[in-house]
């Protein structure tokens, strides 16, 4: 098995949608970025990439490439899960935390978990999403932006496989 950690951060900006875990959250501000700026999906994607030793999200979907402008981050996550699968790995579980002062995310957590689980091809109980605030401190607490942390476990696709995921090792 392999473990990876992911982290992402984006500024909040008027005129943008607030998308977290593939769910649009009602808000007067959204996260600014080249894609939909879904910090939660980005952190999870980076955690999976880290576990697979495949770089980071920017190496696969650079913000300098017009192809990824306003991209759906759940679609990007789905593609990374496909690429990881091609290397012999599958998602075991993911634990994540969104750090955002407002709005409150509790009403949306279950929907986020389901969207993320569907994108990764895992059961709902393999995806944890938690939320916290900045307690009014720092750039998150002042409402300037949001961050997300994630830890992911990858397992070989097939039982009896070695560390590379190839049969017969």
């Amino acid at each position: 098995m392999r473990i990876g950690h992911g982290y992402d951060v984006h500024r909040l900006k008027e005129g943008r949608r607030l998308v977290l875990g593939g769910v649009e959250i009602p808000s007067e501000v959204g996260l600014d970025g080249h894609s939909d700026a879904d910090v939660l999906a980005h952190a999870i994607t980076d955690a999976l990439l880290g576990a697979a030793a495949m770089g980071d999200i920017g190496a696969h979907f650079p913000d300098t490439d017009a192809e990824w402008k306003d991209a759906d981050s759940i679609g990007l996550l789905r593609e990374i899960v496909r690429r990881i699968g091609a290397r012999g790995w599958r998602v075991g579980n993911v634990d994540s935390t969104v750090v955002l002062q407002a709005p409150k995310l509790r009403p949306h957590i279950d929907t986020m978990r389901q969207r993320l689980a569907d994108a990764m091809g895992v059961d709902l109980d393999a995806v944890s999403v938690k939320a916290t605030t900045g307690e009014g401190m720092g750039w998150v607490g002042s409402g300037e932006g949001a961050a997300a942390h994630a830890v992911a476990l990858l397992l070989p696709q097939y039982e009896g496989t070695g560390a590379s995921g190839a049969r017969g090792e």
Side-chain angles (χ1 to χ4, degrees), residues 59-117:
H60 294 265
F61 311 110
D63 64 5
T64 55
D65 189 335
E67 179 179 358
W68 310 119
K69 178 73 174 141
D70 298 321
D72 172 16
S73 295
I74 290 293
L76 303 180
L77 173 60
R78 191 175 290 114
E79 173 60 16
I80 292 303
V81 170
R82 186 196 67 74
R83 292 179 189 183
I84 289 168
R87 291 195 176 193
W89 297 100
R90 64 183 170 87
V91 177
N93 75 298
V94 170
D95 180 30
S96 61
T97 304
V98 178
V99 188
L100 176 70
Q101 192 63 31
K104 295 292 183 191
L105 299 181
R106 177 65 245 152
H108 309 284
I109 296 285
D110 292 339
T111 306
M112 286 186 248
R113 289 179 60 221
Q114 190 63 62
R115 288 289 318 272
L116 293 161

